Amino acid sequence: MNDRLRREAFAIFRYTLSIVIVLQSVATIMEMVRTGSSHELIVVLILAGVEAAAAILLLSTATLMRAGYVLLAVFCLAFLFHLFSGQFESTLLIYAASVWLVMNTKSGPRN
């Protein structure tokens, strides 16, 4: 695979990751509005809102690193929340690994 195709594939990966994170954030908010208590709703609204905003900022090279760290923190908090609730949310681990990859290969793979 040549360098141009690798960069294009990586850009598609980054955009797809951001879109999926935003969609999952919105889905989480909608589910909590439908079923959650007011105390839980506030926490979820804040976390999911921050998550969605950071996912959008992940698309800009100027804000990529800061957005990545914010997303990693949100995923860590969400993972711990689920874990203490008796749920193992492995998708959060995949999201975190994907964000870490994006953060550490800003313009796509070079090799």
Side-chain angles (χ1 to χ4, degrees):
M1 185 182 286
N2 68 38
D3 197 42
R4 183 183 63 85
L5 287 175
R6 275 185 230 168
R7 279 195 302 273
E8 288 173 1
F10 190 76
I12 291 168
F13 175 77
R14 192 170 90 179
Y15 277 84
T16 302
L17 176 64
S18 292
I19 290 166
V20 168
I21 292 170
V22 169
L23 292 175
Q24 285 301 116
S25 298
V26 171
T28 300
I29 290 169
M30 291 172 56
E31 179 66 20
M32 284 305 295
V33 166
R34 190 174 66 78
T35 63
S37 70
S38 60
H39 177 69
E40 290 174 334
L41 180 60
I42 292 169
V43 173
V44 170
L45 282 175
I46 291 169
L47 280 177
V50 168
E51 179 182 62
I56 292 167
L57 293 173
L58 194 68
L59 296 172
S60 168
T61 55
T63 56
L64 187 145
M65 293 304 287
R66 280 176 251 148
Y69 285 120
V70 169
L71 284 169
L72 291 174
V74 169
F75 295 150
C76 182
L77 288 171
F79 183 79
L80 291 173
F81 175 78
H82 284 288
L83 196 61
F84 291 133
S85 298
Q87 303 166 342
F88 183 78
E89 286 293 326
S90 59
T91 54
L92 292 167
L93 299 176
I94 294 168
Y95 291 156
S98 298
V99 167
W100 186 255
L101 175 70
V102 168
M103 290 171 66
N104 289 288
T105 51
K106 290 180 193 174
S107 61
R110 299 202 195 295
N111 299 336

